[in-house]
C-alpha cells in the first residue's frame, strides 16, 4: 500500500514504503486443496498533514504489522475478506492468527498434556481461509508495528486513536487491493471485540459497510467487570462463570455443566442481586441462606463467602478455589492450574493459563514469519506491546464506564444486514459469558435486529481454540457464519 498521493513531502521519512514479502502456498483441506498467496511484513500508515488549515500532502506515521492471505484466482467481487485482530489492548494478532483462523496453527497441547518447548506448527485444514481471505493486523506497538521517526507511540495508545489507525489500515488495504466490492467482516478477540464494535460504526460512517462481526470472548461494557465499591452487579455477573469453574474442578459431582450454569444464572439474575442490594438490612436467615447458596455454586467454603460479605472478587476467587491443594486457577482459562507462589496470598502472582500459552504462540509465530513467510525483520516481536495496556487512554469516557454498546447499536441500526456472531468460553474469567450476555441484552436495537445476533458456547476459556474439540467446532461455526453473512 504505497502512498496514494505522489506529492513531495517535507519530512525525512517520506520515502518509506511497504515492507511486504510475497510467498505462495497450498493447504490441504477436507474439501480439496487451497492455493493461496501470503503477504507479510509491515505497511505504512499514512495521514493527511495540515498546517494552519493548509494541506501539506500525506505523511507516514507508523509501520503496521500485517499478514494477508488471499485465495488464488478468486473473484474479488464475491470473495469475502476478514480483518482480524486481538485485544489487550496492546496485543498482537498472533492468537487468532495461529490459534484458529490462519492456514497454520500452533501445536501446544492442552490442560494436563502441554507440549514441551520448542513447540511446533501444523497445517490448519479448518482455516477460515476456505471461505474468506484473511488480513491480520498488529496495532501500533504490538508485534513488529512501530511509529516512524518523529512520532510518539503513545499517540496511538488510546480508544479513539486505535480505532482510527486500524480503520485507516483497513481502508488503505481495501483500496490498494481493489476490494471495495468484496464482502467484508471483522473478527476481534477480547478488547478486539471492543475495537471491532466501535470500528464497525467508524467504517460504516465513512462509507465502508460490513457484512459481519465475529466477536470472540466479548466485552462491550467494562462496567460489567468493575468490582469497585458500590457496583454489586459485577459480583452477580461473575457468578455463572464461578459456578462453571467450580464444576470443572469437581465441586458439582454428578451434575451437568449446563444445569449448574443455568442455576447460577437464575440465582444471579434475581435473588443474588436482591441479597447484595439489601446490605445490612438483610435478615440473619436470609444471609445464611445466601451464604450457603453462593458457597455451593462457587465451590468455596461458607466461612470464606461469609467473610467476603458475599462479594467474590475474581482474582481472589482464582486464588481461593484450589488453595487447599496449593494451586491457583487461570483467569484466561480456569481449566488451567499452577502451584501457588504463596499459600496465604490474597491474590495469585501470575495467571497459570497465560503462562501455559504465551511461550508456544510467541515461539511459533517468530519461526513461522521467517521460515515460511519470508519475513527477515530481526527487530523484537512483542506479543504484548511494552507498557501499552497499563497506559491505555480512555479519556473519551471520563467519569463514565468504557462502553461501546451505543456504537454497536448504531452500526446495526445503520446497516440492518450486519450480522454478529458471539463466541463464549464457559471458563473465561477475563470476559465472562454472563457479563457479555448482559451487554448484548442492552443493545439499543429494534427487536427484529436481535435475530442478527447469534451465540456459540464452548467448554474452554478465553482462547477457546486451545481446547481441540472446541477449536474444531468453533472453526466450523465461524465458517458457517461467514457463508451465511456474505450470502447474496
Amino acid at each position: 500500500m504505497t502512498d496514494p498521493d505522489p506529492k513531495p513531502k517535507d519530512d525525512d521519512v517520506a520515502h518509506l514504503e511497504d515492507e511486504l514479502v510475497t510467498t505462495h502456498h497450498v493447504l490441504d483441506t477436507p474439501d480439496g486443496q487451497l492455493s493461496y498467496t501470503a503477504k507479510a511484513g509491515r505497511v505504512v500508515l499514512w495521514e493527511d498533514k495540515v498546517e494552519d488549515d493548509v494541506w501539506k500532502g500525506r505523511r507516514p506515521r507508523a509501520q503496521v504489522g500485517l499478514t494477508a492471505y488471499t485465495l488464488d484466482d478468486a473473484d474479488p467481487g464475491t470473495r469475502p475478506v476478514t480483518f482480524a485482530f486481538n485485544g489487550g489492548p496492546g496485543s498482537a494478532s498472533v492468537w487468532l492468527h495461529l490459534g484458529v483462523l490462519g492456514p497454520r496453527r500452533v501445536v501446544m497441547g492442552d490442560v494436563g498434556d502441554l507440549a514441551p518447548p520448542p513447540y511446533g506448527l501444523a497445517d490448519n485444514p479448518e482455516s477460515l481461509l476456505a471461505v474468506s481471505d484473511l488480513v491480520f493486523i498488529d496495532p501500533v506497538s504490538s508485534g513488529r508495528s512501530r511509529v516512524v521517526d518523529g512520532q510518539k507511540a503513545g499517540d496511538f495508545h488510546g480508544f479513539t486513536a486505535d480505532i482510527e489507525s486500524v480503520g485507516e489500515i483497513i481502508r488503505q488495504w481495501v483500496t490498494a487491493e481493489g476490494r471495495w466490492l468484496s464482502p467484508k467482516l471483522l473478527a476481534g478477540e477480547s478488547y478486539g471485540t471492543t475495537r471491532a464494535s466501535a470500528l464497525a460504526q467508524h467504517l460504516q460512517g465513512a462509507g465502508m459497510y460490513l457484512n459481519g462481526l465475529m466477536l470472540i470472548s466479548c466485552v462491550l461494557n467494562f462496567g460489567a467487570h468493575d468490582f469497585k465499591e458500590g457496583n454489586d452487579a459485577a459480583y452477580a455477573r461473575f457468578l455463572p462463570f464461578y459456578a462453571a469453574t467450580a464444576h470443572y474442578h469437581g465441586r458439582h459431582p454428578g451434575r451437568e455443566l449446563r444445569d449448574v450454569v443455568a442455576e447460577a444464572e437464575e440465582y444471579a439474575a434475581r435473588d443474588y442481586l436482591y441479597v447484595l442490594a439489601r446490605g445490612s438490612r438483610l435478615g440473619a436467615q436470609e444471609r445464611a441462606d445466601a451464604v450457603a447458596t453462593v458457597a455451593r455454586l462457587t465451590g468455596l467454603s461458607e466461612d470464606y463467602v461469609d467473610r467476603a460479605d458475599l462479594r467474590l472478587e475474581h482474582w481472589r476467587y482464582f486464588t481461593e478455589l484450589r488453595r487447599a491443594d496449593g494451586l491457583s486457577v487461570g483467569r484466561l482459562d480456569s481449566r488451567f492450574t499452577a502451584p501457588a507462589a504463596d499459600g496465604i496470598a490474597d491474590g495469585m502472582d501470575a495467571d497459570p493459563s497465560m503462562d501455559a500459552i504465551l511461550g508456544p504462540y510467541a515461539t511459533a509465530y517468530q519461526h513461522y514469519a521467517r521460515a515460511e513467510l519470508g519475513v527477515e525483520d530481526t527487530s523484537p516481536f512483542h506479543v504484548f506491546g511494552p507498557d501499552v495496556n497499563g497506559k491505555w487512554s480512555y479519556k473519551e469516557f471520563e467519569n463514565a464506564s468504557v462502553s461501546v454498546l451505543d456504537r454497536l447499536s448504531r452500526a446495526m441500526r445503520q446497516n440492518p444486514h450486519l450480522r454478529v456472531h458471539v463466541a463464549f468460553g464457559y471458563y473465561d474469567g477475563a470476559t465472562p459469558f454472563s457479563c457479555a450476555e448482559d451487554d448484548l441484552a442492552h443493545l439499543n436495537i429494534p427487536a427484529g435486529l436481535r435475530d442478527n445476533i447469534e451465540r456459540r458456547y464452548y467448554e474452554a476459556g478465553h482462547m477457546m481454540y486451545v481446547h481441540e474439540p472446541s477449536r474444531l467446532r468453533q472453526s466450523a461455526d465461524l465458517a458457517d457464519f461467514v457463508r451465511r453473512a456474505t450470502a447474496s
Side-chain angles (χ1 to χ4, degrees):
M1 294 184 299
T2 55
D3 182 5
D5 183 345
K7 182 176 179 179
K9 304 163 187 69
D10 57 9
D11 61 62
D12 59 1
V13 293
H15 64 279
L16 284 175
E17 296 182 352
D18 296 346
E19 301 170 354
L20 293 174
V21 180
T22 300
T23 52
H24 301 281
H25 309 264
V26 175
L27 176 66
D28 289 321
T29 78
D31 296 321
Q33 288 190 333
L34 298 178
S35 296
Y36 65 95
T37 296
K39 293 183 180 180
R42 284 194 296 246
V43 296
V44 179
L45 173 66
W46 298 87
E47 74 164 6
D48 288 329
K49 183 178 181 181
V50 179
E51 295 179 359
D52 297 326
D53 295 327
V54 176
W55 185 67
K56 298 290 187 179
R58 299 271 282 171
R59 68 172 180 176
R61 292 199 65 203
Q63 295 175 291
V64 175
L66 182 146
T67 304
Y69 301 101
T70 55
L71 191 68
D72 295 343
D73 302 320
D75 178 4
T78 59
R79 175 71 173 169
V81 56
T82 297
F83 298 92
F85 34 75
N86 277 87
S91 173
S93 62
V94 61
W95 310 103
L96 287 178
H97 190 166
L98 293 185
V100 66
L101 299 183
R104 297 279 277 165
R105 65 180 183 87
V106 173
V107 177
M108 59 160 280
D110 195 8
V111 174
D113 188 27
L114 291 171
Y119 317 109
L121 280 165
D123 278 347
N124 181 15
E126 297 80 28
S127 171
L128 197 67
L129 184 61
V131 296
S132 174
D133 290 343
L134 302 169
V135 180
F136 294 96
I137 300 170
D138 294 338
V140 174
S141 297
S142 70
R144 290 193 175 94
S145 298
R146 61 193 183 197
V147 294
V148 302
D149 289 349
Q151 298 291 315
K152 296 180 180 179
D155 289 346
F156 292 89
H157 300 164
F159 178 82
T160 298
D162 172 72
I163 292 166
E164 291 175 346
S165 61
V166 173
E168 177 60 10
I169 288 294
I170 292 173
R171 188 203 66 79
Q172 288 182 193
W173 190 91
V174 167
T175 300
E177 298 293 326
R179 300 300 294 269
W180 275 94
L181 292 182
S182 298
K184 301 174 191 66
L185 306 97
L186 305 180
E189 181 179 281
S190 193
Y191 185 83
T193 67
T194 313
R195 178 188 294 124
S197 298
L199 195 54
Q201 183 203 29
H202 175 78
L203 290 173
Q204 291 184 171
M208 184 184 290
Y209 278 40
L210 303 172
N211 296 79
L213 303 179
M214 288 169 272
L215 307 181
I216 300 166
S217 301
C218 185
V219 52
L220 304 178
N221 174 19
F222 284 67
H225 298 241
D226 194 347
F227 288 97
K228 68 181 180 181
E229 186 175 356
N231 184 28
D232 282 342
Y235 301 101
R237 292 186 183 112
F238 268 72
L239 186 68
F241 158 71
Y242 294 153
T245 300
H247 179 276
Y248 181 84
H249 289 280
R251 305 303 169 89
H252 294 280
R255 298 189 64 188
E256 294 293 328
L257 171 63
R258 288 166 183 79
D259 291 341
V260 173
V261 169
E263 182 189 357
E265 287 176 328
E266 182 177 0
Y267 184 76
R270 295 183 182 273
D271 293 352
Y272 194 24
L273 285 172
Y274 167 81
V275 164
L276 296 175
R278 293 295 290 168
S280 63
R281 296 167 294 184
L282 195 66
Q285 188 58 53
E286 287 180 309
R287 180 182 177 88
D289 291 344
V291 166
T293 299
V294 172
R296 178 176 56 80
L297 287 171
T298 62
L300 302 181
S301 70
E302 291 188 19
D303 175 67
Y304 184 87
V305 172
D306 188 41
R307 286 186 289 113
D309 197 25
L310 289 159
R311 291 161 175 83
L312 304 177
E313 193 277 333
H314 65 328
W315 281 101
R316 290 175 173 174
Y317 180 82
F318 305 140
T319 309
E320 186 66 24
L321 180 65
R322 300 288 302 272
R323 186 189 295 274
D325 304 314
L327 301 173
S328 300
V329 303
R331 173 177 176 263
L332 290 175
D333 191 329
S334 59
R335 298 176 304 133
F336 286 84
T337 61
D342 186 341
I344 60 172
D346 189 43
M348 62 184 180
D349 68 309
D351 179 358
S353 47
M354 175 55 75
D355 285 350
I357 63 179
L358 177 60
Y361 277 79
T363 298
Y365 179 81
Q366 292 181 83
H367 166 80
Y368 174 59
R370 186 176 183 89
E372 300 187 25
L373 298 181
V375 178
E376 296 186 356
D377 189 342
T378 59
S379 60
F381 178 85
H382 300 291
V383 175
F384 298 103
D387 298 323
V388 174
N389 187 283
K391 297 180 180 179
W392 196 259
S393 172
Y394 296 103
K395 63 182 180 182
E396 300 85 352
F397 301 95
E398 187 173 0
N399 297 321
S401 173
V402 177
S403 172
V404 292
L405 292 175
D406 56 339
R407 298 166 196 252
L408 179 56
S409 298
R410 169 58 183 151
M412 295 184 70
R413 295 195 308 267
Q414 182 182 30
N415 174 11
H417 298 288
L418 179 64
R419 301 179 67 90
V420 181
H421 172 97
V422 188
F424 307 96
Y426 281 113
Y427 307 121
D428 176 6
T431 59
F433 60 91
S434 44
C435 295
E437 285 283 24
D438 189 72
D439 292 345
L440 294 172
H442 287 86
L443 288 172
N444 181 19
I445 55 176
L449 287 183
R450 295 199 177 276
D451 291 338
N452 285 13
I453 304 173
E454 66 182 39
R455 299 159 170 82
R456 298 293 184 269
Y457 279 81
Y458 304 94
E459 294 187 24
H462 196 67
M463 290 85 162
M464 58 276 294
Y465 38 82
V466 304
H467 177 239
E468 183 66 3
S470 294
R471 184 189 72 82
L472 293 173
R473 188 161 67 85
Q474 183 176 36
S475 297
D477 289 343
L478 292 173
D480 178 59
F481 172 76
V482 171
R483 290 188 190 98
R484 290 182 285 108
T486 60
S488 55

